[in-house]
Amino acid sequence: KKPLITCGISPPPTIFSPTSCSPSPFPKPTGIPSFSISQKMEFSSPYPNKINWQSLSKHQRLQSLSQIESSAPPSYKSNTIKEELVLQYVRVFERQYVELFQERERLALVVRNEYGVKKFISTFIKPTLLPYAELYDSHAITQFLHNYLTYEPLPSPHQLPSIICSPTITLTHQKGDSFDLSILYCSLLRGAGYEAYVCIGRASGKVARAERLYCPEQIRDDDDDYIQYESFKDANGGTAASADDVGANGAAAQQQNDGTASVATATTKKKSKYSLKKRMRLESEFDQMQKDKEDQVAGENGQNEQNTDDSSDQYIHAWILVLPNARSMAPPTPHPPGVPITTNPTSTPHVPLPADQPYFIETSTGEQKPITDTDYKQIEAVFNHQNYWVNMQENVPVAQTDFDLYNLDNWEYIFVSEGSDDENEGLGASLKQPTENDDGNGAPTAADTVESGEHDTQVLDLPTSWVGRITLTKEQFFSKYPGKNKRIQYMDATIQLYTPYSRDDCLTKSITYFDKDAPSKKLSEHLFYENREDKLIRRSLYNASVSVDDTSPPVQRSVKHEWFAPGRRKGSSIEALKEVIQVKSEKNEYRFYWDARLDGLEKRIELFHPSTSFYPRKIVLTFRGRTDFLSYRSVTYDMNTQNTASGNEHPTFKSMEERSVLKMSEKFERDSSKIADEDVAKRTFYLNEGRMRLLYHYGPDKITHAVREYTKRGDMSIDIVDPFQARPKLSDAISEYKELLNAEKNCEANIRSANVEMKSILETRQKDEQNVKYVTTIYDTLLNQPTPEEIEELKRKERERLEKLKRKDVLGSLYPKEGIKSEEQAREIFKKCLRNMRKRLLERAKILEARLTHERNQINRRRTAYQKTQEGSERNEEEFVKFWEDTMFRMGIIRKRVERNKIESKKEYAQLQEELLNDDRLAPFLQRERKKFFSQKESLETDSMHSPSRLAVSTRR
């Protein structure tokens, strides 16, 4: 099929001459600032930390950029010969398009980059795969870019932007309009293998201005019926937002929240065991059919009126179109090895759109939206790094647009593919219809664009992108947000995001919900943490008015709920704290990872009396997986006992030690190895009444169970279900009574130990909150690097260690712990050190003398044996001579060692004496000895400098 617009340009022969070195025949673009061009081919910004780009508008950022000498490559500031040829080719296309379609808007074909150089818009896209496993899926890429970048609306919403920034500059500034962000989105999605295109068209003002009405996300609170969270849901329609997917899957919920409908809560109510069947609704199918037809007609009329009335609310906008291909239908990327998985039991899971259908990505919010979204009004053109397509489907809604880009009836392209291109394989494979001259590539070829008899000798292809390499350092990747924090404001909520490790409390996300009717009234606050040593991952604070019944006034209720990740330890034991729920003046609930504890504790519930909130009136413990089948234990305290607890100690546990126990109960699960009449289901100890009650499990097909009751006065009551069953003997009853007394003591001891453990847990939590510490993994090389202050501290400690090794403590263990108190004590220590030194020197001298004596004895024995047995034999004589020479050589060495030891011993002795006299701990008490020793030393050195023997004699004296 012949295209509607033909661009017949005869290129100059010098352009396609490989040996031509003549300058380009095209004039050099004007309006380019004068910069010193660096020869670096990779764009690296030298100023990302010197200017606060977030506080500047696009015009101010470009103005600041022109005043800074940048290291951008030459391709940013000039065009090659082929790029100039492409610009001329595109201008001819644009001129013919304007002549044929005068009523349509101008196309964004040739735009200026940040340096004022005119470029073809498709060359702005640079497909890049960043070296991070987390940025391989489309959802992860869009979420990262949405958090990392800041969206700004177009200054003129009804005009195309005059300047579009390159992806490298957008990534450096972390800010841009819809065109800047869409090009960066498309570059990364294309690098990850997705068939992404940039759409240029018109959208509603809500999308173009990135208006956020109601928070579309939720937080799931499981088992909330026990805490009665439903009282907090009526005010704002939901509890909180997801911890990881800010902006994900919010389109459908946003449409539901436009003014009337509230966000449905994600909490699940426990289904009642007893429920009535719903009656069948008797309605006429014909009436329902007629009603549906009327609603459909009314909806179509309303849509047409809305399209007519809302024509002024259509703004120029750019977003992303993703067509299905093999990459988009691939399973999600598994979690990279070595990277810790943050457990978040409250986040709303990301539900992706169907992979076999095209969908949009809104760059202002990072949301994935279906093509049926009514916020997108019109598509003028789409483009990628290979071509540019003009939408020829006029007056067709976006939802009904055919996205088969190679259908020449619906889309008009600019460049023609000369042959197959590996990069184009699979493009539009699910949408493209095969043609007669299809080359298998999916892109129109030269044979598809001419009639029979015509031939194209040369086909102009699109040059490679002039954009430098898109890089993202580890610091930039882990920073996540501009300035390490980001704020998202809704009408009913505020979301504050923080970079991990940027705050002292390790807070990474804060979500605050407000009342829709009273925006200043805070309903709930949710704080999310990461990498804390105490394993705290979330804290939620609820505050709402609860009506008990229609007659009583509402009661203000405050709830604090904390979640902990597995792995909490206290020394060598596992604490296994999972959740903490505190309802002010009502109850405290502590949940544990029961499978990680030896006692199988699952919950601890403390119920308070309405008159006081300092100590509980009842404590309930639940267990799971125990070998003794224990599942429940409770204790009830006497509320009339006076509390004398001091203000510094935890009042709950201090008061429990002083108050008396009214009742204790224990419940057991069914033991299949016993019959029902012998398997205890519950035993209750009434301590104030002095009686004990046993309830047994129900037998098969029984509606009653056995009951036994004992009192400490000696009374006994036994109820048997089976009348033919023999009553227990008196001896068995007495034995059971004694076992119950021991069980009562054990139950009371277990409750006391559980209280002590809980007190220790609360004290640890208080210390953790006062001194928050963070943890890192061994895979995090960025955070594990020591700071300059830590390096200096390590060097200082190493120097102190080496100096300490060099300095030997001459006193050693002789120095008393309490210190030297008198002169006699100092003189005694001084003499004892000298005696020990003299003893060690004498022992060393004895060792040398013993070795010398041993050699003498050896040579004497050998000489005697030689003279007696074989005197005159030549062989024996040679052996004796060799032995004699070796022995005499060893004896000579030993004699030299003996002489040297005598000299060194005298020096060591004198040196030790001098060190002792100069020691700060002994010197104040040995002034007379110091004066005498140093005077003798000076006189000896003056008389004979080279005579150590005289000095030794003086020292000995």
Side-chain angles (χ1 to χ4, degrees):
K1 180 177 175 60
K2 188 173 181 178
L4 297 176
I5 303 174
T6 59
C7 302
I9 301 177
S10 299
T14 56
I15 296 178
F16 294 95
S17 176
T19 59
S20 175
C21 297
S22 60
S24 172
F26 301 103
K28 183 178 180 180
T30 59
I32 304 177
S34 57
F35 293 97
S36 59
I37 298 177
S38 174
Q39 297 299 322
K40 294 177 65 176
M41 295 307 296
E42 179 177 331
F43 181 84
S44 58
S45 175
Y47 47 83
N49 297 324
K50 296 181 180 180
I51 300 176
N52 184 13
W53 302 109
Q54 295 295 315
S55 60
L56 303 179
S57 63
K58 186 174 183 178
H59 176 71
Q60 293 173 339
R61 294 197 303 271
L62 296 176
Q63 201 171 23
S64 302
L65 184 63
S66 63
Q67 299 173 0
I68 300 175
E69 183 175 353
S70 173
S71 59
S75 61
Y76 281 69
K77 305 172 184 179
S78 62
N79 286 329
T80 62
I81 298 176
K82 190 172 184 180
E83 287 178 339
E84 292 290 353
L85 179 61
V86 167
L87 291 180
Q88 186 178 1
Y89 182 88
V90 171
R91 289 191 186 99
V92 174
F93 179 92
E94 185 178 14
R95 184 167 59 251
Q96 296 182 8
Y97 175 82
V98 172
E99 292 177 357
L100 293 176
F101 306 98
Q102 298 180 2
E103 71 281 359
R104 296 190 63 173
E105 297 182 1
R106 183 175 66 89
L107 298 177
L109 293 173
V110 179
V111 294
R112 296 183 183 271
N113 66 355
E114 59 270 17
Y115 291 99
V117 182
K118 291 184 178 180
K119 301 282 187 179
F120 180 48
I121 193 169
S122 292
T123 59
F124 279 78
I125 299 176
K126 180 76 171 181
T128 303
L129 178 62
L130 295 176
Y132 301 101
E134 295 86 346
L135 299 181
Y136 189 64
D137 293 330
S138 63
H139 174 69
I141 293 174
T142 55
Q143 284 304 299
F144 172 78
L145 292 179
H146 170 62
N147 293 331
Y148 189 74
L149 306 174
T150 301
Y151 172 78
E152 59 179 350
L154 292 171
S156 300
H158 298 288
Q159 296 180 3
L160 291 172
S162 59
I163 296 177
I164 296 179
C165 295
S166 61
T168 53
I169 288 293
T170 304
L171 203 61
T172 301
H173 292 175
Q174 295 184 261
K175 194 174 184 180
D177 54 34
S178 60
F179 287 81
D180 301 333
L181 301 185
S182 297
I183 289 175
L184 179 57
Y185 272 69
C186 187
S187 299
L188 297 187
L189 290 172
R190 276 278 171 178
Y194 290 90
E195 190 177 350
Y197 302 85
V198 177
C199 294
I200 300 178
R202 287 187 174 272
S204 63
K206 182 178 64 175
V207 173
R209 294 187 298 266
E211 294 179 353
R212 299 179 175 92
L213 298 179
Y214 300 104
C215 186
E217 302 177 10
Q218 307 168 17
I219 284 185
R220 297 174 297 170
D221 293 320
D222 297 334
D223 297 334
D224 58 341
D225 54 341
Y226 191 77
I227 318 172
Q228 299 180 4
Y229 283 157
E230 56 269 12
S231 58
F232 307 116
K233 303 170 188 174
D234 298 335
N236 72 333
T239 51
S242 167
D244 298 321
D245 301 333
V246 178
N249 290 340
Q254 190 75 20
Q255 295 176 5
Q256 295 177 1
N257 292 337
D258 291 344
T260 56
S262 61
V263 182
T265 61
T267 56
T268 56
K269 294 284 292 180
K270 293 184 179 178
K271 188 174 180 180
S272 177
K273 184 177 179 182
Y274 307 99
S275 60
L276 298 176
K277 294 183 179 180
K278 294 183 178 180
R279 287 187 175 184
M280 182 182 299
R281 298 183 62 183
L282 302 178
E283 294 181 355
S284 173
E285 296 181 359
F286 178 78
D287 293 342
Q288 185 66 26
M289 188 184 307
Q290 294 296 327
K291 185 177 180 181
D292 293 342
K293 288 182 179 180
E294 293 176 0
D295 294 342
Q296 183 178 1
V297 172
E300 292 177 355
N301 296 335
Q303 184 177 2
N304 295 333
E305 293 177 0
Q306 183 178 5
N307 294 336
T308 304
D309 298 337
D310 295 345
S311 58
S312 61
D313 193 38
Q314 296 182 7
Y315 294 81
I316 292 179
H317 193 62
W319 63 95
I320 298 296
L321 167 66
V322 179
L323 297 182
N325 65 346
R327 175 65 187 89
S328 61
M329 290 185 286
T333 306
H335 193 78
V339 179
I341 301 177
T342 303
T343 57
N344 189 356
T346 62
S347 60
T348 304
H350 166 62
V351 181
L353 297 174
D356 57 345
Q357 297 294 330
Y359 60 90
F360 295 144
I361 295 178
E362 177 51 49
T363 55
S364 62
T365 59
E367 300 174 359
Q368 294 182 1
K369 297 187 176 182
I371 60 175
T372 58
D373 197 309
T374 57
D375 289 330
Y376 299 101
K377 309 299 182 182
Q378 184 181 359
I379 296 179
E380 291 291 338
V382 299
F383 66 92
N384 60 4
H385 65 295
Q386 296 169 332
N387 213 332
Y388 190 99
W389 292 267
V390 181
N391 185 13
M392 308 305 297
Q393 306 171 68
E394 297 186 55
N395 301 324
V396 177
V398 176
Q400 302 177 11
T401 301
D402 179 18
F403 289 102
D404 182 4
L405 301 181
Y406 304 106
N407 184 352
L408 301 183
D409 293 331
N410 298 329
W411 297 91
E412 182 67 26
Y413 55 85
I414 293 182
F415 291 92
V416 180
S417 175
E418 185 176 5
S420 64
D421 186 0
D422 292 340
E423 294 181 359
N424 270 342
E425 290 184 0
L427 297 183
S430 61
L431 301 176
K432 174 178 177 286
Q433 299 295 332
T435 60
E436 182 179 358
N437 295 324
D438 193 355
D439 64 347
N441 176 32
T445 62
D448 296 328
T449 61
V450 297
E451 296 178 352
S452 60
E454 298 182 7
H455 299 280
D456 279 358
T457 57
Q458 295 173 341
V459 176
L460 181 62
D461 59 340
L462 191 63
T464 58
S465 178
W466 52 270
V467 179
R469 182 182 176 187
I470 301 176
T471 59
L472 192 69
T473 62
K474 285 188 176 181
E475 291 82 358
Q476 293 173 329
F477 175 69
F478 288 112
S479 65
K480 289 189 177 182
Y481 314 109
K484 296 186 177 181
N485 66 84
K486 189 169 185 178
R487 182 186 180 92
I488 303 176
Q489 184 67 47
Y490 297 92
M491 293 182 62
D492 63 337
T494 300
I495 300 179
Q496 190 77 29
L497 305 172
Y498 302 94
T499 301
Y501 303 103
S502 63
R503 289 175 55 96
D504 295 337
D505 56 355
C506 298
L507 180 67
T508 58
K509 187 171 184 179
S510 172
I511 306 176
T512 306
Y513 274 89
F514 303 94
D515 192 351
K516 293 180 181 179
D517 300 330
S520 60
K521 182 180 179 181
K522 184 188 297 185
L523 295 179
S524 61
E525 184 178 5
H526 307 270
L527 308 175
F528 297 88
Y529 303 89
E530 290 183 8
N531 309 309
R532 285 183 55 140
E533 190 180 40
D534 58 359
K535 304 296 182 180
L536 179 65
I537 58 176
R538 178 189 165 192
R539 178 184 291 125
S540 295
L541 306 174
Y542 303 89
N543 187 17
S545 299
V546 182
S547 298
V548 180
D549 50 36
D550 298 337
T551 58
S552 60
V555 180
Q556 195 72 16
R557 172 171 294 177
S558 299
V559 178
K560 179 180 179 182
H561 197 165
E562 294 180 338
W563 284 262
F564 298 86
R568 278 185 59 91
R569 285 179 170 271
K570 184 181 179 182
S572 59
S573 61
I574 298 178
E575 181 183 290
L577 183 62
K578 182 179 181 180
E579 297 178 35
V580 176
I581 305 171
Q582 296 177 345
V583 183
K584 188 175 182 181
S585 303
E586 292 187 19
K587 76 179 186 68
N588 292 338
E589 181 174 343
Y590 307 93
R591 301 178 183 178
F592 299 85
Y593 293 96
W594 63 271
D595 51 350
R597 293 180 58 95
L598 297 178
D599 57 354
L601 179 61
E602 182 182 17
K603 289 182 183 180
R604 176 188 173 95
I605 302 175
E606 300 175 357
L607 302 177
F608 296 92
H609 195 272
S611 60
T612 178
S613 60
F614 293 105
Y615 44 88
R617 61 179 176 84
K618 185 176 182 179
I619 298 177
V620 178
L621 307 176
T622 60
F623 303 88
R624 287 181 63 182
R626 290 178 62 108
T627 57
D628 57 355
F629 300 96
L630 178 66
S631 61
Y632 174 92
R633 178 181 288 143
S634 66
V635 56
T636 303
Y637 292 96
D638 186 6
M639 299 302 299
N640 297 324
T641 307
Q642 297 295 328
N643 179 22
T644 59
S646 61
N648 296 330
E649 297 190 24
H650 195 281
T652 301
F653 301 100
K654 179 66 177 177
S655 58
M656 280 191 286
E657 293 176 1
E658 296 181 354
R659 290 183 296 136
S660 59
V661 178
L662 295 180
K663 184 179 68 172
M664 297 185 300
S665 301
E666 290 182 339
K667 296 180 182 179
F668 300 87
E669 296 178 351
R670 183 73 171 89
D671 186 1
S672 58
S673 62
K674 300 179 180 179
I675 60 176
D677 292 340
E678 297 179 358
D679 190 9
V680 178
K682 180 181 178 181
R683 58 188 179 191
T684 307
F685 306 99
Y686 299 91
L687 277 70
N688 60 335
E689 300 178 8
R691 61 188 180 94
M692 296 166 285
R693 183 182 179 87
L694 293 178
L695 302 179
Y696 291 85
H697 282 280
Y698 289 91
D701 302 329
K702 299 293 184 180
I703 60 173
T704 58
H705 56 81
V707 180
R708 298 184 186 182
E709 186 172 335
Y710 299 89
T711 63
K712 295 182 179 180
R713 298 188 302 270
D715 300 333
M716 179 179 61
S717 173
I718 299 178
D719 296 339
I720 300 177
V721 177
D722 189 358
F724 300 100
Q725 182 181 359
R727 297 180 64 84
K729 297 180 180 179
L730 181 60
S731 59
D732 296 339
I734 294 175
S735 300
E736 188 176 37
Y737 173 74
K738 293 181 179 179
E739 291 178 359
L740 286 176
L741 293 177
N742 294 332
E744 179 182 345
K745 295 180 181 179
N746 294 335
C747 182
E748 190 172 1
N750 291 332
I751 291 174
R752 191 179 297 109
S753 63
N755 294 338
V756 172
E757 181 189 10
M758 200 64 234
K759 178 181 179 181
S760 176
I761 291 175
L762 293 179
E763 291 176 352
T764 304
R765 284 289 304 124
Q766 186 176 5
K767 294 179 181 178
D768 293 340
E769 290 298 326
Q770 294 175 355
N771 185 19
V772 178
K773 297 180 180 180
Y774 68 89
V775 294
T776 58
T777 63
I778 60 176
Y779 305 99
D780 196 343
T781 59
L782 185 63
L783 291 174
N784 288 333
Q785 293 179 356
T787 61
E789 294 78 8
E790 293 175 347
I791 294 176
E792 291 297 329
E793 182 67 18
L794 293 175
K795 290 181 179 180
R796 185 187 64 80
K797 291 182 179 180
E798 182 65 17
R799 289 194 298 267
E800 292 180 356
R801 188 183 67 84
L802 295 177
E803 291 177 359
K804 187 176 181 180
L805 291 177
K806 292 180 181 178
R807 298 192 310 264
K808 296 181 179 179
D809 190 4
V810 293
L811 297 181
S813 60
L814 298 178
Y815 186 77
K817 294 182 179 180
E818 63 276 5
I820 299 175
K821 304 297 183 181
S822 62
E823 185 176 349
E824 291 77 10
Q825 188 179 10
R827 190 173 289 107
E828 180 65 24
I829 294 174
F830 175 71
K831 293 180 179 179
K832 195 170 184 179
C833 288
L834 293 179
R835 285 198 301 268
N836 293 340
M837 183 65 176
R838 190 182 302 111
K839 183 179 179 181
R840 188 171 67 85
L841 294 176
L842 291 175
E843 289 178 354
R844 189 168 63 186
K846 289 180 181 180
I847 292 174
L848 294 175
E849 290 292 342
R851 291 180 181 177
L852 184 60
T853 303
H854 175 72
E855 295 294 337
R856 289 174 180 171
N857 295 334
Q858 287 288 339
I859 197 171
N860 290 333
R861 285 195 297 269
R862 186 66 178 269
R863 182 174 54 186
T864 303
Y866 172 73
Q867 292 176 354
K868 289 182 178 180
T869 57
Q870 299 180 1
E871 187 174 358
S873 175
E874 295 181 0
R875 181 179 178 182
N876 293 338
E877 185 176 357
E878 292 177 358
E879 293 178 356
F880 177 74
V881 171
K882 184 178 180 181
F883 173 77
W884 180 275
E885 292 176 353
D886 295 341
T887 306
M888 294 304 293
F889 176 75
R890 290 195 298 270
M891 291 177 64
I893 293 176
I894 294 175
R895 289 193 184 97
K896 290 181 180 181
R897 289 183 178 178
V898 171
E899 295 297 330
R900 187 177 61 184
N901 179 60
K902 291 180 180 179
I903 298 173
E904 291 181 353
S905 298
K906 296 172 183 178
K907 290 181 179 180
E908 292 179 8
Y909 189 84
Q911 184 179 359
L912 175 63
Q913 190 175 8
E914 183 177 0
E915 290 180 0
L916 290 173
L917 294 174
N918 290 332
D919 192 278
D920 297 337
R921 296 167 290 183
L922 295 176
F925 302 98
L926 302 177
Q927 295 295 334
R928 186 173 58 183
E929 287 79 356
R930 279 172 52 84
K931 185 177 180 180
K932 183 178 179 181
F933 173 80
F934 287 110
S935 62
Q936 292 179 358
K937 181 179 179 181
E938 290 177 0
S939 62
L940 289 175
E941 289 179 353
T942 304
D943 295 343
S944 177
M945 251 177 133
H946 303 287
S947 178
S949 59
R950 296 182 62 184
L951 179 61
V953 171
S954 175
T955 303
R956 190 181 303 113
R957 292 175 181 175

